[in-house]
Amino acid sequence: MSMRVAVVGATGAVGSTMLGIMRERSFPADEVVPFASERSAGRTIDWGDRDLTVVALSDEAIQGFDLALFSAGSGVSEEWGPRFAAAGATVVDNSSYWRMRDGVPLVVSEVNPDALDGHDGIVANPNCSTMQMVVALKPILDAVGIDRLVVSTYQAVSGTGQRAVEELHDQTRAVLEATDVPPAHVYPHQIAFNAMPQGESFNDGDDYTTEERKMMAETRKILGDDDIGISATCVRIPVYTGHSGSVNVQTSKKLSPEDCRALLSDAPGVQVLDDPSNGIYPLAIDAAGRDDVLVGRIRRDPSHDHCLNLWIVGDNLRKGAALNAVQLAELLLERQLLRGDA
Ligand SMILES: NC(=O)c1ccc[n+]([C@@H]2O[C@H](COP(=O)([O-])OP(=O)(O)OC[C@H]3O[C@@H](n4cnc5c(N)ncnc54)[C@H](OP(=O)(O)O)[C@@H]3O)[C@@H](O)[C@H]2O)c1
């Protein structure tokens, strides 16, 4: 079968990373078509041995695809995801639009790959900070159960997209050159040299942000356990790439830090870096560009017998988005779950 793949949002932070990862992993696509907005239509993308020309979305252009990997925002996913699916493609969507809908699997390749079985044309890729956290939590859940999580994130600006990266860059340069700092456009406040306890927005009457709500709801859906208590605080910091998270895990059965380290050392997609007295622990700059989720600072919470503290760091553009989307595409292929396979 000849495999045609659409990458929707191909010029963005996640889309360009997906294209790179598809090449690195020799994804078996016979044809790849990059889609973006009218602004980018006609642009050429260098994709190894091929040049790809960016196309705008239209009913004619979306015909005949086996797979469509989306990362162009919720509005585009809402409108064009079902259209690609109706035209016969299986959609893997990075936006938040489909994630919590009934009947749409929300899947992390190492955590709940079997959830792909029930898809009806659209599969959702989780939120970035949630994704990296559940990769590290799944082995703990399976071994001893999890009752409760208290999470604080330290999230990079690339998690908000390309314009946020430019905003941090321009503001930082202005501060260092002692010129006027450009006003914030993407974020509600200056992000350079700051820490901002607002990931995304606040809905009316809710004192949690939409990012925090996603983290709490998606964690339960992926882990398949609505009883896990979870409280999240999501903070944006002036780092380009790599989300970090401090996670307090209350387990059902007691787990020692040593056993936790051993469990995570054997877990797929996880690397333990935990020798703090020698300065060895996960860092955002080390996670950037890597596929594994890094875990360290594993230690007993002295205030509770069943609680451990973990420091979890991952590349938000890779495992947090693009890599998992490509891994889901690989699983769909391997398991013959593309719509054309039925
Ligand atoms: N960044 C992350 O770490 C991350 C992690 C998980 C999920 N996500 C999700 O992935 C999606 C994309 O995020 P991003 O960070 O890659 O954003 P981004 O850098 O702003 O890129 C957005 C992409 O969408 C395209 N686009 C915008 N409007 C469009 C339209 N009307 N029709 C077709 N294409 C359109 C843009 O094309 P132009 O270049 O033509 O404007 C660009 O290719 C979002 O839903 C985000 O929530 C991001």
Side-chain angles (χ1 to χ4, degrees):
M1 179 177 104
S2 121
M3 164 77 44
R4 289 188 82 221
V5 181
V7 177
V8 183
T11 53
V14 176
S16 53
T17 309
M18 284 198 295
L19 283 171
I21 289 174
M22 285 169 73
R23 275 215 71 86
E24 282 166 31
R25 296 171 72 92
S26 304
F27 189 84
D30 298 289
E31 188 184 350
V32 174
V33 178
F35 286 88
S37 75
E38 296 281 359
R39 295 179 290 276
S40 310
R43 233 182 85 181
T44 301
I45 296 177
D46 173 4
W47 199 59
D49 58 358
R50 306 178 223 183
D51 277 349
L52 308 176
T53 303
V54 176
V55 177
L57 290 163
S58 70
D59 279 326
E60 303 73 61
I62 68 166
Q63 301 302 315
F65 287 97
D66 302 287
L67 258 171
L69 309 181
F70 268 66
S71 65
S74 286
V76 175
S77 293
E78 176 186 6
E79 186 181 348
W80 291 93
R83 292 201 203 182
F84 265 97
T90 301
V91 172
V92 178
D93 183 32
N94 274 288
S95 85
S96 57
Y97 187 78
W98 296 101
R99 290 181 193 153
M100 293 308 296
R101 314 249 155 190
D102 286 342
V104 175
L106 180 64
V107 190
V108 181
S109 61
E110 298 86 349
V111 178
N112 60 336
D114 293 345
L116 286 172
D117 289 345
H119 85 80
D120 190 22
I122 298 181
V123 171
N125 209 38
N127 162 272
C128 35
S129 27
T130 308
M131 180 108 66
Q132 61 187 58
M133 180 177 76
V134 296
V135 171
L137 291 180
K138 173 69 172 163
I140 300 175
L141 177 75
D142 289 346
V144 289
I146 293 175
D147 290 343
R148 180 168 182 259
L149 301 163
V150 180
V151 186
S152 295
T153 68
Y154 304 73
Q155 296 184 209
V157 294
S158 60
T160 318
Q162 207 73 284
R163 285 180 54 235
V165 173
E166 286 154 24
E167 186 154 300
L168 172 60
H169 178 83
D170 294 345
Q171 291 178 349
T172 304
R173 194 164 58 187
V175 172
L176 292 175
E177 291 174 355
T179 58
D180 288 344
V181 177
H185 290 298
V186 177
Y187 293 119
H189 303 281
Q190 177 183 316
I191 184 65
F193 301 95
N194 209 354
M196 201 163 48
Q198 179 178 349
E200 294 202 338
S201 50
F202 290 96
N203 284 330
D204 275 353
D206 193 355
D207 47 12
Y208 280 83
T209 62
T210 47
E211 181 79 353
E212 289 158 355
R213 287 281 171 210
K214 282 190 236 174
M215 201 169 194
M216 297 190 274
E218 292 180 24
T219 298
R220 293 193 187 100
K221 180 166 176 176
I222 299 161
L223 295 179
D225 187 345
D226 281 340
D227 293 331
I228 295 179
I230 170 163
S231 174
T233 303
C234 294
V235 179
R236 191 72 60 183
I237 57 165
V239 159
Y240 282 129
T241 300
H243 288 351
S244 305
S246 163
V247 182
N248 182 272
V249 191
Q250 183 174 333
T251 53
S252 311
K253 291 186 212 146
K254 198 170 166 181
L255 179 69
S256 70
E258 296 72 30
D259 288 348
C260 183
R261 246 172 246 124
L263 259 182
L264 294 179
S265 297
D266 289 340
V270 175
Q271 194 179 347
V272 174
L273 290 179
D274 202 13
D275 185 6
S277 58
N278 286 311
I280 294 172
Y281 32 69
L283 294 172
I285 53 172
D286 293 335
R290 278 163 81 160
D291 287 350
D292 281 342
V293 170
L294 310 179
V295 187
R297 299 294 318 279
I298 301 170
R299 63 208 189 278
R300 162 88 39 233
D301 172 349
S303 72
H304 197 296
D305 216 25
H306 277 208
C307 289
L308 294 175
N309 285 308
L310 279 66
W311 181 249
I312 303 174
V313 184
D315 183 327
N316 51 293
L317 293 173
R318 293 182 73 88
K319 187 58 198 177
L323 172 63
N324 195 66
V326 175
Q327 288 171 316
L328 296 189
E330 289 169 350
L331 283 171
L332 287 163
L333 259 174
E334 248 171 65
R335 297 181 175 203
Q336 302 193 319
L337 289 171
L338 293 178
R339 307 197 92 199
D341 294 324

